[in-house]
Structure formats: C-alpha cells, structure tokens
C-alpha cells in the first residue's frame, strides 16, 4: 500500500491516452513504509559475483531494468514508498521531515540487504523527478550512503526548507477545516478528513522544514561522487491554469518588482501589448528549474563528474503541450508505445541508455557540455557557451538573475497557491 493522498490522474498532466489505465493503489497510513525491488532474472549470477549497480528511485521506472539487460549493463531498481503531505510534514512537535526519514530508512535497508538480491551496496545511485528530485537533493547533504545522484526537474531551489512558522501558518486553517469535518484534532483525525482538508486548501504536497542538518545547503557541495542534473523546456506548465485565471493587469502587478533589464528580457513591462501570462510562465521555468540546473552543474563540475542535460522533445501524445514538466518520465519509463512517433521513440531510447550508463559508473556523455534530448529526435551535446544552448535556456536571463535581487519575491508571488497537476 501507499500513503493516503488525494488522487490525481497523472494521465492528464502527461497527456496519456485513455487506453492506458490509471491504476488506483491501495492506501494505508500505517503500512505504507515498503519498497519494491525490480531485478534481472537470476541477478545473483550476473556479473562480478552478483554485485550489480543499484538505483533507488523516488518513484521507480522499473522498465529500466529490462533496458539495462538488453544493453548488457544489468542493474537493480528499488522503489520505496514513504509518508506524504500532512502525514510526513504535519507534526507540530517531535521529529520533522518524516518523508526524508522514511526514504533514509529505505536507503539503509538497501545497503544492508541488497547483496542478497545480487546488488552492490557500495554502488548506489539515488534518483528522483520533481518532488523526488527535491528529496534526492536533500539527501546529498544528509550523509546518505549513495555514490551518485540524479536530479530530474527538481532540487532544493524549487522547494527549499521552510521555517516552522510557515508550517504553523498552514496547519492552523487546516486544523479548523478538519475539526469542522470530524470534530477531531490533526493528531487524531482520520485520514479521510485530513485529505478533505488538504483538497479544500488546494495543497497537493507540503514542504521540507528547516533543520540544522539542512542549514546553509546553498553554500555546500552535494556529497556524491558523480551527479546528473537536468530539466525540460516547459516546466512551468504546473502554474498555467492558475496564472491564466488572472487579468493581465494583475500579472503585471505581480512582476512589477523585476529589474528593468529582466522585465525587458521577458517582455514583462506594462507598456507591452503582448499578454504577460506566457512570459511570466517562462520566468518561473527559468528561476525555479533552468537556472538551478545550471548553477548546480556549474558548481559541481570542477569537483566531480557532472552531467547536465535538457529535454526539448515535445509530448508525442500532445505536441502543442511542448516538452512540459513530467514529459521526461514518458521517455525514461518506456512504458508506452511510441512507434507512431519515431522522433520521440529515439529520444526515449537515448535517454534510457544514458541513464543506465550513469548508474553503472560509465560516462553518459561529455561532461563539459549539456546533453540535449530533442526536438525532432536529435540528441547532441551542446556547448554551454554556445548560441544554441543560450537560446534554448535563456542564457542571458540567467546572467541577469545572478546580478539582480528581487526575482525570488516576484516568482513567489506568481506561484503562490496556483500550482496544480491538473494542467
């Protein structure tokens, strides 16, 4: 079973056709600390006496195991379940960040027991996408016994640890709703009542809380031997509907704190006749995803093997949706028939091969450049100082963001209360 949560049909975000069923998994608040291990047949007899590389994924694309076998580089994938939202971050007293603690428990379990499944406890890659990427990034500062990390469309820059005061400011209205519904406190209310309250407040997930171990994470180096980090072109689709509901004047008001040079770069000055919504979404993508990818890779590259990538291949099921947040999972999971779209199929094949190489300790591409997956099925390493990379990821805007303050406040105002997986 998994942790209780308000159901979201992920097929909508990923534009997956209805012929692929949306599986509803059993939920159990008290029995969701479990994990799934996917391994090659007779793994203990394969390679080096059974010591296969291991990837722990939050959550796991187990089909990568089949790909790894086909490539002659077999590996094991472990997918842990853990507590989510209010069940992980809602405690007013006692332990904090229970999601991280559950994940660390799973990592430690793998270290202790994976040899019995043919895996190498000293050759573990921790990987995750979106919120999973945030958690993986946190573990690189918490001494997790991992060798490599993969951050896909998520890092602590997307959702940094928050002070206790913010947690309490959220818990107070939630507790009021829960008490009205069930007559119980947050600590004693049934899971159904807690989820109902979260839905009323439009909260899909909660945030990490500040702890001494995560203090000054921005000034510290990720504690892994090798790092992969990347993003997709249209990350900010998560806020599309929320921003689209605002009048243009409100968007201009929210972005009025931008430095004039950045306002010019994003065409977000009030005198512009262009609708500001798409420009604001571009700003969000750069600040929360693209710029962090660049910053993390640039800081890490001189110290360790670091592999930066971008994904610009649009969703094959809905090309007008662009290469949106989550589309990388379609290509990496390999669970959908893409034969009708050879360009997309080529990207998926290249991605899966690169991820398998990285987990196995090989170089997936030249670490001095940025691997670009798509568009048009083209996969090539771009020069980070070259024109093409700068045009694809608004290199000039990234430079300006490093020079001017105020961007975090502007982006915070744009995204607050407007995120949704139903975009």
């Amino acid at each position: 079973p998994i942790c209780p949560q308000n159901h979201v049909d992920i097929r909508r975000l990923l534009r997956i056709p209805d012929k692929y069923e949306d599986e509803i998994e059993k939920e159990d608040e008290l029995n969701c600390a479990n994990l799934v291990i996917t391994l090659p047949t007779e793994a203990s007899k394969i390679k080096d006496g059974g010591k296969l590389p291991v990837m722990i994924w939050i959550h796991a694309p187990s089909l990568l195991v089949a790909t790894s076998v086909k490539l002659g580089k077999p590996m094991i994938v472990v997918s842990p379940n853990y507590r989510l939202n209010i069940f992980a971050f809602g405690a007013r007293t006692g332990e904090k960040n229970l999601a991280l603690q559950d994940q660390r428990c799973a990592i430690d379990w793998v270290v202790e027991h994976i040899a019995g499944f043919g895996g190498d406890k000293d050759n573990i890659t921790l990987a995750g996408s979106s919120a999973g990427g945030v958690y993986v990034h946190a573990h690189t500062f918490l001494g997790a016994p991992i060798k490599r990390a993969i951050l896909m469309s998520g890092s602590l820059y997307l959702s940094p640890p928050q002070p206790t005061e913010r947690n309490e400011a959220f818990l107070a209205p939630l507790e009021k709703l829960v008490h009205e519904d069930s007559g119980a406190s947050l600590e004693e209310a049934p899971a159904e009542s807690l989820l109902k309250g979260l839905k009323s407040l439009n909260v899909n997930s909660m945030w990490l809380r500040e702890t001494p171990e995560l203090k000054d994470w921005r000034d510290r180096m990720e504690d892994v031997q090798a790092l992969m980090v990347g993003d997709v072109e249209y990350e900010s689709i998560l806020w599309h509907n929320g921003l689209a509901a605002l009048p243009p004047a409100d968007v201009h008001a929210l972005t009025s704190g931008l430095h004039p040079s950045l306002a010019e770069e994003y065409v977000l000055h009030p005198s512009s006749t262009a609708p500001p919504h798409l420009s604001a979404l571009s700003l969000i993508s750069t600040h929360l995803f693209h710029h962090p990818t660049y910053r993390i890779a640039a800081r890490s590259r001189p110290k360790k093997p670091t592999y930066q990538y971008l994904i610009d291949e649009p969703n094959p099921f809905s090309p007008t949706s662009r290469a949106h947040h989550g589309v990388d999972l379609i290509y990496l999971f390999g669970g959908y028939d893409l034969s009708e779209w050879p360009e997309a199929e080529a990207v998926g094949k290249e991605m899966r091969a690169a991820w398998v190489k990285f987990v196995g300790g090989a170089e997936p591409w030249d670490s001095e450049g940025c691997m670009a997956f798509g568009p048009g099925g083209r996969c090539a390493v771009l020069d980070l100082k070259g024109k093409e990379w700068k045009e694809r990821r608004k290199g000039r805007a990234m430079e300006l963001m490093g020079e001017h303050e105020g961007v975090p406040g502007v982006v915070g105002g744009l995204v607050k209360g407007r995120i949704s997986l139903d975009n």
Side-chain angles (χ1 to χ4, degrees):
I2 61 175
C3 183
Q5 54 196 284
N6 286 312
H7 179 68
V8 175
D9 188 346
I10 199 65
R11 293 177 303 176
R12 180 175 176 84
L13 175 64
L14 299 185
R15 278 54 174 170
I16 302 300
D18 289 341
K19 68 179 181 180
Y20 295 98
E21 293 186 5
D22 180 31
E23 296 184 11
I24 307 296
E25 299 184 70
K26 181 181 178 181
E27 298 178 352
D28 190 323
E29 176 187 358
L30 302 179
N31 292 290
C32 61
N34 56 70
L35 48 79
V36 177
I37 303 173
T38 307
L39 59 156
T41 304
E42 299 184 356
S44 61
K45 299 180 181 179
I46 299 176
K47 186 186 172 185
D48 299 332
K51 287 192 173 183
L52 299 182
V54 180
M55 182 170 74
I56 303 175
W57 181 279
I58 309 173
H59 297 299
S62 59
L63 286 175
L64 274 178
V65 173
T67 299
S68 72
V69 172
K70 289 179 181 178
L71 294 173
K73 303 177 185 297
M75 68 181 192
I76 294 172
V77 173
V78 181
S79 174
N81 284 310
Y82 51 89
R83 282 169 285 187
L84 303 167
N85 50 68
I86 190 66
F87 305 100
F89 304 105
R92 286 192 169 100
T93 60
E95 298 290 338
K96 300 177 181 178
N97 298 332
L98 298 180
L100 288 180
Q101 294 196 38
D102 288 352
Q103 294 157 13
R104 179 56 183 269
C105 183
I107 295 169
D108 291 342
W109 188 96
V110 170
V111 169
E112 184 175 354
H113 297 288
I114 201 63
F117 297 87
D120 185 351
K121 67 180 179 64
D122 297 316
N123 195 8
I124 295 175
T125 300
L126 188 63
S129 174
S130 194
V134 176
Y135 295 143
V136 172
H137 200 199
H139 283 295
T140 67
F141 300 112
L142 296 174
I146 57 176
K147 194 169 186 177
R148 306 175 196 86
I150 303 176
L151 313 181
M152 297 175 60
S153 296
S155 70
L156 288 173
Y157 290 98
L158 170 62
S159 183
Q162 297 297 311
T164 300
E165 294 74 26
R166 184 185 176 191
N167 218 51
E168 183 56 38
F170 166 72
L171 291 178
L174 176 62
E175 184 161 48
K176 183 175 182 295
L177 290 171
V178 168
H179 188 268
E180 291 174 352
D181 181 67
S182 66
S185 65
L186 288 179
E187 291 76 13
E188 298 176 348
E192 295 78 9
S193 184
L194 293 171
L195 294 178
K196 185 177 179 181
L198 290 175
K199 189 171 185 178
S200 297
L201 295 172
N202 190 33
V203 173
N204 294 311
S205 63
M206 292 177 65
W207 44 86
L208 294 172
R209 292 167 66 182
E210 289 180 342
T211 62
E213 295 80 9
L214 288 173
K215 185 179 181 181
D216 301 327
W217 62 269
R218 287 180 175 85
D219 301 321
R220 294 157 57 191
M221 180 70 67
E222 292 79 10
D223 186 15
V224 288
Q225 295 181 26
L227 182 67
M228 180 189 289
V229 57
D231 52 60
V232 304
E233 180 257 329
Y234 185 22
E235 298 279 14
S236 56
I237 191 174
L238 298 171
W239 294 274
H240 176 274
N241 290 351
L243 283 181
L246 294 177
D250 288 1
V251 178
H252 282 304
L254 288 168
T255 57
S256 62
L258 282 179
H259 188 275
S261 59
L262 274 169
E264 184 69 25
E265 184 73 21
Y266 285 95
V267 196
L268 278 170
H269 37 77
S271 60
S272 172
T273 58
H277 302 84
L278 292 180
S279 296
L281 288 169
S282 180
L283 173 67
I284 292 169
S285 287
T286 305
H287 178 67
L288 293 181
F289 297 92
H290 301 162
H291 194 207
T293 293
Y294 176 76
R295 291 175 64 181
I296 292 169
R299 179 180 62 187
S300 174
R301 193 174 284 112
K303 303 293 184 180
K304 68 192 68 172
T306 302
Y307 304 97
Q308 181 179 346
Y309 72 86
L310 61 84
I311 297 173
D312 284 358
E313 188 69 33
N315 188 319
F317 301 119
S318 177
T320 56
S321 298
R322 301 157 52 186
H324 60 77
H325 186 82
V327 76
D328 46 350
L329 303 182
I330 293 177
Y331 300 126
L332 188 62
F333 280 22
Y336 307 104
D337 180 10
L338 301 182
S339 58
E340 188 177 340
W341 304 277
E343 296 89 353
E345 192 170 46
V347 165
K349 183 178 180 180
E350 289 287 339
M351 280 186 63
R352 291 190 292 276
W355 265 241
V356 169
K357 285 182 181 178
F358 180 76
V359 172
E363 184 178 62
W365 57 79
D366 182 359
S367 63
E368 292 303 311
C370 176
M371 184 63 172
F373 295 98
R378 172 177 172 254
C379 299
V381 177
L382 305 182
D383 181 353
L384 286 163
K385 296 180 181 180
K387 179 180 179 182
E388 184 176 356
W389 179 82
K390 290 182 178 180
E391 288 179 345
R392 289 212 206 181
R393 286 299 181 267
K394 296 189 76 70
R396 172 58 180 159
M398 290 190 191
E399 294 174 3
L400 293 171
M401 284 184 178
E403 298 172 2
H404 304 300
E405 299 179 357
V407 178
V410 170
V411 172
L414 288 169
V415 303
K416 186 177 181 180
R418 298 186 177 92
I419 191 171
S420 174
L421 295 177
D422 192 23
N423 269 286

